[in-house]
């Protein structure tokens, strides 16, 4: 036991003291937020705005009507152009227009849907994101023309345009918010995905480096291969847990400072307000506690398999990629199951995907923010945890059998078939 503790201590301190760990712990949340908001900002600033000329032969679209619509959207412009301009159709781009539409003479508000297709004539292709705003603006013009033709007053028009909106009222949890639960579900699922892939790969690469540098031979002379593997897995798992707890502590710190301070800027107030909404709508301690369990259990489940692969490969990294591909695909498949599970957290797909060990760390953590035990009954949570514990105990045993042979084998390219033989060899 002391030898395992020494290995855990070595693996933990070696990685925590690295500059990459410190920088990653601080920068990852900032980079993640920057990725979310930055991509949206860049997309908004770089989107293409079109100037479209309209040649109205029907006489339905007037200057005042088009001017009123252009006022609501100053980026995408529609301008009425006389039909008799010489050479317009050939040279509209040189006049500053990206395209033009022609409204035929027989066009009227009683025309059927099939006859209402309007061609946007251009000299180059545009994406859907550029065409959609123009289509919405034309539909807004068409709606106003139809209402005027029917003689609708503004009061009647507001009645026709009114719509019903639904908001879920959870009678067992009045503070439940589906929007916040969805965001937290996605955040937990993707965070689990990154941790399993990142630190699982670290286990594999660490084992491979020790094997190729012959350090493993020296260590194995003092400890058993199983002790070395378990110590390495637990040590790196504690690194992942430490990083997660630091992020959680930062969130609590921001929340408490913002709550006690009355003099904050608008942006800070908004961030604290969103965090406060999370605290009131989601049982934070349940989410954090379950995340820690699924983080460690899921990490042990996958990292033991990554350790087995690391012990079997030599210096060729292509071997690592090919052997680790099935395990990586299980994690990616779990992310694919997460999206429909969040869309309907009580469906049979969500329930079974959150119980099966290989997908439960990601899918169950995506369901838990929706409520325990209302959405996720206690029996489902308990069964999921029990099966995951049984799963990582099996994968640890299975990987240890491969590890004991692979860590001392050199020069031979292994396969999964051969590794399975190692596992069941007496």
């Amino acid at each position: 036991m002391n030898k395992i503790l020494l290995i855990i201590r070595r693996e933990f301190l070696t990685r925590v003291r690295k500059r990459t760990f410190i920088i990653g712990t601080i920068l990852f949340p900032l980079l993640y937020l920057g990725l979310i908001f930055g991509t949206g900002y860049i997309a908004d600033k770089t989107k293409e705005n079109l100037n479209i000329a309209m040649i109205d032969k029907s006489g339905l679209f007037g200057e005042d009507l088009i001017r009123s619509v252009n006022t609501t959207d100053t980026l995408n412009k529609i301008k009425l152009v006389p039909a008799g301009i010489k050479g317009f159709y050939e040279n509209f781009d040189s006049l500053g227009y990206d395209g033009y539409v022609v409204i035929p003479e027989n066009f009227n508000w009683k025309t059927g849907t099939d006859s209402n297709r309007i061609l946007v004539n251009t000299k180059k292709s545009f994406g859907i994101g550029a065409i959609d705003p123009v289509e919405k603006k034309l539909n807004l013009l068409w709606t106003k023309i139809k209402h005027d033709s029917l003689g609708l007053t503004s009061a009647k028009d507001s009645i026709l345009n009114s719509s019903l909106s639904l908001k879920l009222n959870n009678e067992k949890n009045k503070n439940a918010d589906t929007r916040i639960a969805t965001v937290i579900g996605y955040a937990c699922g993707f965070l689990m995905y990154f941790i399993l892939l990142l630190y699982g790969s670290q286990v594999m690469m660490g084992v491979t480096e020790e094997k190729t540098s012959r350090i493993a031979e020296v260590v194995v002379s003092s400890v058993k291969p199983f002790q070395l593997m378990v110590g390495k897995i637990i040590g790196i798992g504690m690194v992942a847990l430490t990083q997660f707890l630091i992020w959680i502590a930062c969130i609590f710190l921001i929340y408490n400072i913002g709550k006690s301070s009355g003099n904050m800027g608008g942006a800070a107030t908004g961030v604290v307000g969103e965090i406060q909404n999370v605290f009131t709508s989601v049982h934070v301690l349940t989410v954090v506690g379950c995340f820690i369990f699924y983080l460690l259990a899921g990490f042990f489940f996958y990292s033991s398999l990554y350790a087995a692969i690391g012990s079997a490969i030599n210096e060729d990294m292509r071997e690592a990629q090919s052997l680790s591909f099935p395990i990586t695909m299980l994690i990616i498949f779990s992310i694919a199951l997460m999206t429909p599970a969040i869309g309907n957290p009580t469906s049979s797909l969500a329930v079974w995907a959150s119980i099966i060990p290989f997908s439960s760390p990601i899918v169950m953590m995506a369901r838990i923010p929706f409520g325990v035990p209302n959405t996720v009954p206690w029996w489902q949570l308990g069964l999921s945890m029990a099966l995951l514990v049984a799963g990582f105990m099996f994968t640890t045993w299975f990987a240890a059998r491969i590890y004991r042979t692979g860590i001392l084998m050199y020069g031979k390219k292994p396969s999964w078939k051969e590794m399975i033989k190692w596992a069941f060899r007496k």
Side-chain angles (χ1 to χ4, degrees):
M1 187 66 184
N2 289 333
K3 293 179 180 179
I4 295 178
L5 291 176
L6 286 173
I7 296 170
I8 293 172
R9 182 174 179 272
R10 173 183 171 275
E11 293 293 334
F12 180 79
L13 293 178
T14 301
R15 283 168 170 77
V16 168
R17 288 172 178 171
K18 285 184 178 180
R19 191 176 299 173
T20 53
F21 174 83
I22 298 171
I23 295 174
T25 303
I26 297 172
L27 289 185
F28 179 78
L30 299 177
L31 290 174
Y32 190 71
L33 290 173
L35 180 66
I36 294 173
F37 295 107
T39 52
Y41 176 80
I42 293 171
D44 183 65
K45 291 297 182 181
T46 58
K47 69 178 181 180
E48 205 161 10
N49 300 304
L50 304 183
N51 290 321
I52 302 296
M54 176 185 285
I55 299 163
D56 181 22
K57 296 181 179 180
S58 66
L60 294 172
F61 298 83
E63 285 279 4
D64 293 338
L65 189 61
I66 293 176
R67 191 181 300 112
S68 66
V69 175
N70 281 333
T71 305
T72 60
D73 180 9
T74 57
L75 298 177
N76 296 278
K77 295 285 188 181
I78 295 177
K79 185 177 180 181
L80 202 59
V81 175
I85 297 180
K86 187 177 181 180
F88 176 81
Y89 299 108
E90 295 79 13
N91 303 307
F92 65 88
D93 53 335
S94 61
L95 298 175
Y97 297 105
D98 298 296
Y100 68 90
V101 296
V102 179
I103 309 297
E105 294 180 7
N106 60 347
F107 199 79
N108 58 71
W109 65 275
K110 295 180 181 180
T111 308
T113 306
D114 294 337
S115 304
N116 285 2
R117 186 177 295 277
I118 302 297
L119 296 178
V120 181
N121 301 284
T122 64
K123 289 190 177 180
K124 62 179 180 179
S125 297
F126 293 99
I128 295 175
I131 295 296
D132 275 351
V134 177
E135 184 180 39
K136 290 178 181 177
K137 186 173 284 190
L138 286 172
N139 275 309
L140 181 59
L141 286 168
W142 189 230
T143 299
K144 290 187 175 184
I145 290 171
K146 288 187 291 184
H147 287 185
D148 290 342
S149 300
L150 292 171
L152 297 177
T153 62
S154 58
K156 292 179 180 179
D157 189 48
S158 63
I159 294 173
L160 284 175
N161 290 328
S162 64
S163 59
L164 298 175
S165 60
L166 296 178
K167 183 180 180 181
L168 291 177
N169 178 32
N170 190 332
E171 295 183 353
K172 293 185 178 180
N173 184 5
K174 296 294 184 182
N175 294 321
D177 191 319
T178 304
R179 179 184 62 87
I180 292 176
T182 300
V183 172
I184 295 176
Y186 273 112
C188 289
F190 278 109
L191 188 59
M192 189 74 70
Y193 167 78
F194 286 124
I195 289 175
L196 292 179
L197 275 184
L198 176 64
Y199 286 100
S201 299
Q202 282 192 19
V203 171
M204 182 178 68
M205 298 305 297
V207 173
T208 304
E209 288 173 4
E210 289 183 354
K211 178 182 177 179
T212 54
S213 63
R214 304 282 177 157
I215 295 175
E217 293 181 7
V218 178
V219 177
V220 168
S221 64
S222 303
V223 299
K224 296 179 180 179
F226 176 78
Q227 293 174 321
L228 177 60
M229 188 192 76
V230 171
K232 184 176 288 291
I233 291 172
I234 295 176
I236 297 177
M238 296 304 293
V239 174
L241 180 61
T242 301
Q243 198 166 47
F244 170 72
L245 291 177
I246 291 173
W247 292 339
I248 292 297
C250 290
I251 294 174
F252 274 89
L253 184 64
I254 293 172
Y255 172 70
N256 288 315
I257 291 175
K259 191 176 180 181
S260 59
S261 175
N263 300 318
M264 296 184 298
T269 305
V271 171
V272 173
E274 285 298 319
I275 296 176
Q276 191 167 7
N277 291 337
V278 171
F279 274 72
T280 55
S281 62
V282 175
H283 200 290
V284 176
L285 293 179
T286 301
V287 174
V288 173
C290 289
F291 191 94
I292 291 173
F293 171 83
Y294 280 101
L295 169 64
L296 294 177
F299 174 77
F300 294 152
F301 181 90
Y302 280 104
S303 62
S304 57
L305 296 175
Y306 277 114
I309 293 171
S311 69
I313 61 178
N314 296 296
E315 295 181 1
D316 190 358
M317 287 297 103
R318 288 175 295 182
E319 295 179 21
Q321 293 174 357
S322 61
L323 288 175
S324 63
F325 180 74
I327 301 171
T328 304
M329 283 305 299
L330 287 177
I331 301 176
I332 295 173
F333 184 60
S334 301
I335 277 288
L337 293 175
M338 181 189 72
T339 300
I342 290 177
N344 189 359
T346 58
S347 65
S348 57
L349 173 65
V351 171
W352 287 109
S354 62
I355 290 176
I356 298 171
F358 79 82
S359 58
S360 61
I362 292 175
V363 179
M364 181 59 86
M365 278 314 307
R367 293 181 65 211
I368 285 174
F370 288 91
V372 179
N374 299 328
T375 303
V376 181
W378 288 116
W379 71 267
Q380 291 182 12
L381 184 60
L383 180 60
S384 173
M385 289 181 170
L387 289 178
L388 185 56
V389 170
F392 81 68
M393 290 177 66
F394 171 76
T395 55
T396 303
W397 170 84
F398 178 78
R401 305 278 292 186
I402 299 173
Y403 190 92
R404 66 178 182 175
T405 303
I407 197 68
L408 298 175
M409 184 170 287
Y410 297 91
K412 186 176 182 181
K413 186 176 180 180
S415 64
W416 269 105
K417 183 179 180 180
E418 190 170 2
M419 290 166 61
I420 292 173
K421 288 182 179 179
W422 296 350
F424 293 100
R425 181 186 300 165
K426 292 184 180 180

